[in-house]
Amino acid sequence: MIQNTPTSYTVDNDEVVTITVVATKVGEFAVASLDGGTLNPIGTAPLKYRFTATKSTGANHFVVIFFHFPDSAPNDAKYDVSVTGSNGGGVFAADTILRSDPPTTWNTTLTFAVA
């Protein structure tokens, strides 16, 4: 896996992608969607999502993650998102979602271009 921008990656066909969401001072209130369908977590605390890049060369997978902060969450609560691929490249910091951000920005979209 290669990180092109904080939220854009190049992956190999059949590469397994793992997305980790670490919640700080807030519960595990995040849901993910892969190409418009539900992406169920494979683990909690931290939340982990996994999928295999199955699209043809030149096509993209899109993962949208929606976050929620209850009213009881402190202003310094946050979610940190990181991404790894089974073909190496390391652990990439993708995004940080802050409680203090406007609620309309409590989501992130990750793009995975298949090489």
Side-chain angles (χ1 to χ4, degrees), residues 8-21:
S8 171
Y9 304 86
T10 300
V11 295
D12 295 324
N13 189 284
D14 291 328
E15 185 165 3
V16 178
V17 175
T18 303
I19 302 164
T20 303
V21 177

Side-chain angles (χ1 to χ4, degrees), residues 33-103:
S33 170
L34 170 65
D35 300 327
T38 300
L39 185 59
N40 292 315
I42 60 163
T44 59
L47 282 171
K48 288 191 179 203
Y49 299 94
R50 185 170 290 150
F51 73 95
T52 301
T54 56
K55 294 206 172 184
S56 58
T57 299
N60 293 330
H61 283 289
F62 296 96
V63 174
V64 180
I65 308 173
F66 300 92
F67 304 91
H68 175 71
F69 293 94
D71 291 340
S72 60
N75 283 340
D76 60 345
K78 66 178 181 171
Y79 294 97
D80 290 303
V81 181
S82 62
V83 178
T84 59
S86 61
N87 292 350
V91 177
F92 300 107
D95 206 352
T96 297
I97 308 299
L98 305 172
R99 165 74 164 98
S100 58
D101 291 338

